[in-house]
Amino acid sequence: FLYLAGQFCCGFFVILILGNFWFLAVLYLVWLYLDWETPCAGGRRSQWVRSWTVWKYFREYFPIHLIKTSDLNPNHNYLLGFHPHGVLVAGAFGNFCTGPSFKNLFPGLTPYLHIMPIWFGCPFFREYVMSAGMVSASKESVSYVLNNEGGGHASIIVIGGAEESLNAHPGSLTLNILKRKGFIKMALKHGAHLVPVFSFGENELFKQVANPKGSWLRNVQEKMQKIMGFALPLFHARGVFQYSFGLIPYRQPIHTVVGSPIPVKQNLNPTTEEIDDLHALYLQKLRQLFEEHKRNYGIPEHKSLIFE
């Protein structure tokens, strides 16, 4: 989704350069140079863009729902771990970048969805994603958001990252998280409370070509992901007028459940043991959140999360 939109924006920029509007491209490059650090400094959101009517139809298509299980005190800053990545990350975008749901359920909190820094090097596209409330996933960017002294900021990080999208098969409950502890360290350094978030239905939007670990396809995808910084899952879903093949996601409900906060005391120099302990507690709370709500969203009783 982001890849296709980014390609369109880059293509438009090339047209400016090759056409009679090259001077506009030059002006934009100057602006890009001067504005380069903005994605790491809170971005530049636009309530007008976030309120576009098209996002209402986007959310209603699946439909997308945000489920609150506990209050989040706006006097604190929070780091929300979003799971799973899926192919589209529709729940994260629909709930945290569009519409009033988050604001209504968690008044006083401003959500920032962190995405890969590579997208902010794409001409024009960077302006669009920032206007929707997205910022860089770099350490500097996360620190900027969580360093708000008055509280009221919520960093949303898709913990599994691009690598996890290769596991996004219908029914899959495999999360790439065992080796991902950077978000734990950031929460400790800033005293940001941790909140597990599980988006039921995220992996049901597309069918992906079989790519079990060890297969030639998975090996190629993983190598390309390391080189380019983002994964390229081979997926399909439905078309506009037929349901057998296409790139339009299936109409499957998405329920993004926000768990209870895990209090975190600020520790500027956490030890490896302290990071591991908090990471283990986070995994416990994430699994507990999943188990408590899976029956509501069609997950069989015998199914459980798999941590890799």
Side-chain angles (χ1 to χ4, degrees):
F1 178 72
L2 286 175
Y3 176 75
L4 293 175
Q7 288 290 88
F8 174 81
C9 290
C10 287
F12 178 70
F13 183 71
V14 171
I15 292 174
L16 288 182
I17 295 176
L18 299 179
N20 295 325
F21 302 97
W22 60 267
F23 61 95
L24 293 178
V26 172
L27 289 175
Y28 184 81
L29 286 176
V30 173
W31 162 255
L32 188 63
Y33 173 78
L34 296 174
D35 194 56
W36 190 255
E37 297 300 325
T38 301
C40 294
R44 187 172 45 249
R45 68 181 57 224
S46 166
Q47 191 56 42
W48 175 66
V49 173
R50 290 168 60 87
S51 301
W52 280 351
T53 303
V54 66
W55 302 134
K56 175 178 179 291
Y57 294 119
F58 172 79
R59 294 189 304 274
E60 291 178 350
Y61 171 80
F62 297 97
I64 295 175
H65 304 280
L66 185 64
I67 312 300
K68 172 182 176 180
T69 63
S70 176
D71 289 332
L72 298 181
N73 189 333
N75 293 325
H76 299 296
N77 293 317
Y78 298 89
L79 196 160
L80 279 64
F82 183 91
H83 312 270
H85 183 287
V87 171
L88 188 62
V89 204
F93 178 76
N95 286 311
F96 304 123
C97 296
T98 75
S101 295
F102 186 87
K103 182 179 179 180
N104 292 341
L105 291 177
F106 304 102
L109 285 183
T110 301
Y112 295 83
L113 178 61
H114 295 271
I115 63 175
M116 290 186 297
I118 188 175
W119 296 118
F120 296 99
C122 182
F124 300 115
F125 182 67
R126 68 189 297 274
E127 319 304 335
Y128 158 65
V129 294
M130 279 196 291
S131 66
M134 289 180 256
V135 293
S136 173
S138 67
K139 292 181 181 179
E140 295 79 10
S141 178
V142 177
S143 290
Y144 184 93
V145 173
L146 297 181
N147 204 33
N148 190 41
E149 292 184 1
H153 281 188
S155 279
I156 297 96
I157 301 178
V158 184
I159 306 299
E163 182 182 358
E164 192 172 85
S165 67
L166 300 179
N167 290 328
H169 296 272
S172 174
L173 296 172
T174 300
L175 304 180
N176 292 57
I177 192 172
L178 290 182
K179 296 181 180 180
R180 296 178 181 265
K181 300 179 181 180
F183 73 104
I184 298 292
K185 189 173 182 179
M186 293 299 292
L188 282 166
K189 281 191 171 184
H190 295 281
H193 296 349
L194 283 166
V195 182
V197 178
F198 195 88
S199 195
F200 292 90
E202 199 75 44
N203 283 339
E204 323 307 317
L205 306 185
F206 296 93
K207 292 180 180 178
Q208 189 173 168
V209 175
N211 60 342
K213 287 194 172 182
S215 66
W216 70 268
L217 176 57
R218 185 60 168 258
N219 291 335
V220 170
Q221 288 176 318
E222 290 177 347
K223 288 180 180 178
M224 292 182 68
Q225 188 263 325
K226 291 179 180 179
I227 294 172
M228 298 186 299
F230 55 88
L232 291 175
L234 299 180
F235 60 88
H236 66 89
R238 53 162 291 186
V240 178
F241 301 110
Q242 45 78 29
Y243 294 86
S244 57
F245 189 82
L247 294 179
I248 298 176
Y250 293 115
R251 299 192 70 175
Q252 296 289 340
I254 298 173
H255 294 86
T256 303
V257 184
V258 180
S260 300
I262 303 170
V264 177
K265 185 178 180 180
Q266 187 174 25
N267 184 345
L268 296 178
N269 295 292
T271 64
T272 300
E273 183 179 2
E274 289 170 331
I275 293 173
D276 289 344
D277 288 345
L278 183 55
H279 186 261
L281 177 60
Y282 179 86
L283 294 183
Q284 176 188 331
K285 294 298 184 181
L286 174 60
R287 187 181 296 278
Q288 180 180 332
L289 177 70
F290 175 81
E291 292 295 331
E292 288 178 353
H293 295 273
K294 67 180 183 181
R295 301 171 190 80
N296 299 332
Y297 307 115
I299 306 295
E301 184 65 32
H302 67 279
K303 290 277 189 176
S304 296
L305 294 179
I306 300 173
F307 296 145
E308 289 188 346

